[in-house]
Amino acid sequence: MVKPEDLAPLAPLMTEWRRDLHAHPELGFEEERTAGLVVAVLRQAGIEVAAGIGRTGVVGTLRGTAAAADRAIGLRADMDALAMTEATGLPWASTHPGRMHACGHDGHTAMLLGAAVWLAAHRHRFAGTVRFVFQPAEESRGGADAMIADGLFTRFPMQTIYGLHNLPGLPLGTIAVPRQRVLASSDSWAVVFRGHGTHGAKPHLGTDAVLAAAAFVQAIQAIVARETDPLEPAVVSVGHIAGGDPAAPNVIPAEVRLGGTARAFSAAVRDHIEARLAAIAAGIAATHGVTADTSYTRRLSPTCNHPAYAARMVAAATATLGVAQVRDDHPPLTAGEDFSSFLAIVPGAYAWLGTGEPAHPEGVHHNPHFDFNDAALLPGAAFWCGLVLQELAP
Ligand SMILES: [Zn+2]
Ligand SMILES: [Zn+2]
């Protein structure tokens, strides 16, 4: 068993790493400096390191010495930042305009490094192999798939993989493990309506793509509101609409472009949304005498915990942090995660780590006022260590 206080000597180091990473954020597949820090810390701890896995990913391998064992588990941290400009004004704020750790991946990396250092010093307490998976490009750039394509599971075999993400609003140091549904599928779609542009004063001489686009925005709301089981989550949002020229408001443009996102938790709902966006676009195009070109891109599958592995995370969190700091379920969220790609290959689970109420009222994920709460580093790292001691008990 391990308790957060056992890792207390590592807390200042983890905070230092976290703030250093925060000040030097790197976007997906550009995590050169970040990977450099990860490699240096792992090597210094005596952990076998493979760098350049999925371009900028790093895999550390640590073998327990308590007994001979074939079992291997993976612990994953993501390393990338977002293309946005930080507004926290903190001493460790981003030194790169247009790049920011606004999702707390700096904290995930520092926490897993802290756990790796502690586990390396306590390898006599477990049997089997830990793979520390430092993943690049989680933020919609395909880092998990890149690592898989680069042989993550063949070159570094593991039977199970676990993930952890910070969650503001959840009490500080609390681990919440969804029993099954964690995060939604995240897909994008686009539609182009094309008509015959004409003088705004003589609409009868053309066909109006603007009117078709307006009808489309209204009509697709029925996919969720009228066609999907009210007890089944689904989201269809329009995030982009463009047509015409603001300098020429008296012109009906020939073309209007729309784009948006779609989220679901079940394959059937996801399929339905995809089919209906195209069908509604075609129907509305026919109604208005224009054409519609629809495209739908599947980006991330839903992230769903394997219930037996979620229960293991709950057990490890309870042993490490105490029952008051653990929730054995959490409602699904409609964000997306490419951890789903790992779970499609090996079973595992994903947990939320509470970071408490944000210091800034707007300090939620992907907000320029976000900052990872360093007070969560210790319970987070201790939880990782507790999970390893439990899963690889001799
Ligand atoms: Zn994010
Ligand atoms: Zn994130």
Side-chain angles (χ1 to χ4, degrees):
M1 202 196 289
V2 56
K3 293 286 175 192
E5 45 272 30
D6 300 331
L7 276 79
L10 287 167
L13 255 183
M14 287 194 283
T15 302
E16 193 185 310
W17 295 329
R18 206 287 294 178
R19 293 181 180 182
D20 177 65
L21 293 171
H22 192 87
H24 302 95
E26 295 173 301
L27 302 181
F29 295 126
E30 296 171 9
E31 303 94 333
E32 306 283 349
R33 187 183 180 282
T34 306
L37 173 77
V38 168
V39 167
V41 172
L42 294 179
R43 284 222 171 105
Q44 208 192 342
I47 294 171
E48 221 175 285
V49 178
I53 311 302
R55 292 162 69 179
T56 42
V58 179
V59 179
T61 295
L62 175 66
R63 291 181 179 83
T65 56
D70 288 335
R71 185 154 177 76
I73 66 168
L75 310 180
R76 177 273 210 158
D78 39 17
M79 303 190 290
D80 57 323
L82 286 151
M84 49 193 286
T85 296
E86 181 158 352
T88 65
L90 291 164
W92 53 88
S94 171
T95 53
H96 302 290
R99 279 189 258 156
M100 179 191 174
H101 269 295
C103 204
H105 299 183
D106 47 347
H108 303 164
T109 300
M111 206 185 295
L112 189 57
L113 282 177
V117 169
W118 189 87
L119 288 164
H122 297 82
R123 63 185 85 185
H124 57 282
R125 291 181 56 185
F126 61 92
T129 302
V130 189
R131 310 282 192 195
F132 301 100
V133 179
F134 290 90
Q135 184 205 309
E138 186 280 325
E139 299 284 3
S140 302
R141 293 189 177 204
D145 288 340
M147 288 193 94
I148 293 165
D150 218 357
L152 176 68
F153 291 106
T154 49
R155 292 162 69 187
F156 312 96
M158 61 190 96
Q159 289 89 40
T160 310
I161 192 160
Y162 292 103
L164 186 65
H165 202 292
N166 74 91
L167 191 60
L170 185 67
L172 176 64
T174 298
I175 294 284
V177 193
R179 285 182 197 165
Q180 207 152 3
R181 290 177 171 187
V182 184
L183 290 154
S185 57
S186 175
D187 299 334
S188 54
W189 56 266
V191 178
V192 185
F193 287 107
R194 288 194 186 87
H196 295 289
T198 181
H199 197 303
K202 301 171 186 170
H204 60 292
L205 299 181
T207 51
D208 193 349
V210 173
L211 195 57
F216 177 78
V217 171
Q218 299 275 357
I220 59 173
Q221 302 310 315
I223 300 174
V224 175
R226 304 287 81 182
E227 300 176 7
T228 305
D229 182 339
L231 299 178
E232 182 64 43
V235 181
V236 179
S237 292
V238 180
H240 173 249
I241 178 164
D245 187 327
N250 57 348
V251 173
I252 293 174
E255 187 177 289
V256 177
R257 294 176 173 269
L258 301 104
T261 190
R263 311 288 168 121
F265 288 90
S266 87
V269 171
R270 194 182 192 189
D271 291 346
H272 182 76
I273 292 172
E274 177 174 4
R276 290 296 291 155
L277 281 168
I280 292 171
I284 284 181
T287 301
H288 292 273
V290 301
T291 63
D293 258 348
T294 309
S295 63
Y296 189 97
T297 308
R298 294 187 172 223
R299 297 192 179 278
L300 301 170
S301 294
T303 302
C304 285
N305 280 346
H306 297 248
Y309 293 84
R312 288 163 186 250
M313 284 187 115
V314 168
T318 306
T320 309
L321 306 173
V323 70
Q325 293 290 92
V326 183
R327 298 194 185 164
D328 68 354
D329 202 2
H330 192 276
L333 304 178
T334 49
E337 241 287 2
D338 67 359
F339 191 73
S340 52
S341 293
F342 298 137
L343 290 183
I345 297 175
V346 294
Y350 184 96
W352 297 111
L353 168 66
T355 51
E357 286 311 313
H360 189 283
E362 290 169 34
V364 295
H365 292 148
H366 295 207
N367 181 285
H369 294 284
F370 177 86
D371 185 45
F372 181 88
N373 182 356
D374 288 316
L377 290 167
L378 196 53
F383 166 63
W384 275 140
C385 294
L387 185 63
V388 169
L389 296 189
Q390 171 191 284
E391 293 298 286
L392 300 180

